[in-house]
Amino acid sequence: MTTPPALLIAGHGTRDDAGAEAFRDFVRRLGARHPELPVAGGFIELSPPPLGEAVTELVEQGVRRFAAVPLMLVSAGHAKGDIPAALAREKERHPGISYTYGRPLGPHPALLNVLERRLDEALGSAGRAPGDRADVTVLLVGRGSTDPDANAEVHKAARLLWEGRGYAGVETAFVSLAAPDVPSGLDRCVRLGARRIVVLPYFLFTGILPDRVRHQTEGWAAAHPEVEVLSADVIGPEPELLDLVWERYEEAVKGDLRMNCDSCVYRIALPGFEDKVGMPQQPHFHPDDDDHHHGHGHGHHHGAHSHAH
């Protein structure tokens, strides 16, 4: 029997000791859950251990094949460039190793469920019933990136969090590198009529940036006593996160890197759309797809959708 590839978890890195320790503890937990294979984790920057050290640790245990999973919610510069570059360097440093590279984590329904729980906890601590959401506006705050695609992923998470869950709205802001910032995001919520806002950090673990989100939220709230503003917690090392990293590992090992099936209404039961799961997908015409006017000939249907991925 061939031994399964080892699991290498790649993190951003943080100047926050508690945040770095949360990552290292998460790697230890995952290893304890899966004693059948070596698990190691390292950072791209700012905190120990560096990713290269984690690879060396695996190689010294006799590992030749591993799957790398980025412990990141969004595919920005780190996931797209820095980690692949670091892995390529390790391949030169350790001839004979091979690896596959997994997908970032978000916006997976399991994480959306954790975010929903964080919102319920914030509302509950303010003495509110969890079901009482119709007057709650959520401000989902992402890390922020110079990569528009990465920022768009946060908007996608916000939209998926809003769909079917009954909040008045879910708006988006960023803590660095992208607009709107947290105070501007809160201003926008108020302009949309929000009277009760929960600020929800779209971060895995505690750290300098989530702390900044809370600090900026509290500063804005002090200046706007007429608006009720609550702060929710980060996602944290929840069982859902452990399961999801394992799911990404298995995908990478099998080479089953799919398109956006995580949030596909025909595959996953999303709140309010459960009846669509497994529905057969029929080719259909869009109203403006009358071929006679578009010169495509009769056999070509723009609107033919197959969900076979």
Side-chain angles (χ1 to χ4, degrees), residues 70-73 105 111 201-206 234-237 241:
L71 200 68
M72 296 169 192
L73 288 167
L105 305 173
L111 294 183
Y202 193 46
F203 286 84
L204 291 173
F205 302 128
T206 183
V234 295
I235 289 168
L241 186 59

Side-chain angles (χ1 to χ4, degrees), residues 171-232:
E171 295 298 307
T172 311
F174 299 96
V175 75
S176 65
L177 298 174
D181 60 14
V182 174
S184 303
L186 287 162
D187 289 343
R188 285 166 61 127
C189 290
V190 170
R191 284 209 287 277
L192 289 166
R195 285 283 162 268
R196 177 170 287 107
I197 303 168
V198 184
V199 178
L200 176 62
Y202 193 46
F203 286 84
L204 291 173
F205 302 128
T206 183
I208 286 172
L209 294 180
D211 286 350
R212 190 179 297 165
V213 173
R214 190 173 283 260
H215 183 70
Q216 291 178 354
T217 299
E218 287 166 357
W220 188 93
H224 298 79
E226 73 285 1
V227 185
E228 185 184 351
V229 185
L230 303 169
S231 285

Side-chain angles (χ1 to χ4, degrees), residues 3-295:
T3 49
L7 169 55
L8 174 70
I9 301 171
H12 271 285
T14 171
R15 289 189 179 84
D16 181 76
D17 290 340
E21 185 49 40
F23 172 91
R24 291 188 291 259
D25 182 59
F26 183 82
V27 172
R28 286 192 289 269
R29 283 192 207 198
L30 206 56
R33 244 192 191 208
H34 296 284
E36 74 279 8
L37 78 160
V39 177
F43 296 105
I44 288 296
E45 59 182 10
L46 301 176
S47 38
L51 197 60
E53 210 170 281
V55 174
T56 300
E57 180 191 322
L58 290 174
V59 170
E60 284 173 355
Q61 292 175 55
V63 168
R64 286 290 164 265
R65 295 185 310 136
F66 61 87
V69 174
L71 200 68
M72 296 169 192
L73 288 167
V74 165
S75 189
H78 284 303
K80 288 178 180 176
D82 297 336
I83 298 172
L87 293 174
R89 191 170 62 236
E90 292 309 310
K91 202 168 184 318
E92 285 178 16
R93 198 177 286 168
H94 304 283
I97 64 169
S98 64
Y99 60 88
T100 52
Y101 184 39
R103 292 196 285 160
L105 305 173
H108 192 283
L111 294 183
L112 296 171
N113 291 341
V114 179
L115 292 172
E116 184 177 7
R117 202 154 69 229
R118 294 290 175 253
L119 290 168
D120 281 346
E121 288 162 3
L123 290 165
S125 65
R128 315 258 312 165
D132 192 9
R133 297 175 172 181
D135 65 347
V136 172
T137 299
V138 178
L139 183 64
L140 184 71
V141 182
R143 171 178 288 268
S145 171
T146 52
D147 179 348
D149 177 51
N151 297 330
E153 284 291 308
V154 181
H155 278 264
K156 181 172 182 178
R159 179 72 204 193
L160 286 165
L161 189 62
W162 183 71
E163 289 275 358
R165 285 185 174 84
Y167 302 108
V170 181
E171 295 298 307
T172 311
F174 299 96
V175 75
S176 65
L177 298 174
D181 60 14
V182 174
S184 303
L186 287 162
D187 289 343
R188 285 166 61 127
C189 290
V190 170
R191 284 209 287 277
L192 289 166
R195 285 283 162 268
R196 177 170 287 107
I197 303 168
V198 184
V199 178
L200 176 62
Y202 193 46
F203 286 84
L204 291 173
F205 302 128
T206 183
I208 286 172
L209 294 180
D211 286 350
R212 190 179 297 165
V213 173
R214 190 173 283 260
H215 183 70
Q216 291 178 354
T217 299
E218 287 166 357
W220 188 93
H224 298 79
E226 73 285 1
V227 185
E228 185 184 351
V229 185
L230 303 169
S231 285
D233 281 332
V234 295
I235 289 168
E238 295 292 287
E240 289 95 336
L241 186 59
L242 288 155
D243 290 343
L244 177 53
V245 171
W246 186 251
E247 191 178 310
R248 291 289 185 252
Y249 164 80
E250 291 192 311
E251 271 181 9
V253 169
K254 292 177 191 150
D256 176 28
L257 299 186
R258 296 170 292 157
M259 56 181 283
N260 59 331
C261 296
D262 286 338
S263 51
C264 166
V265 78
Y266 301 106
R267 285 177 179 266
I268 307 289
L270 295 177
F273 300 90
E274 290 86 355
D275 57 324
K276 291 203 172 187
V277 174
M279 274 174 71
Q281 295 306 294
Q282 305 297 337
H284 64 273
F285 299 102
H286 292 286
D288 57 357
D289 262 5
D290 182 345
D291 286 350
H292 299 288
H293 300 302
H294 286 280

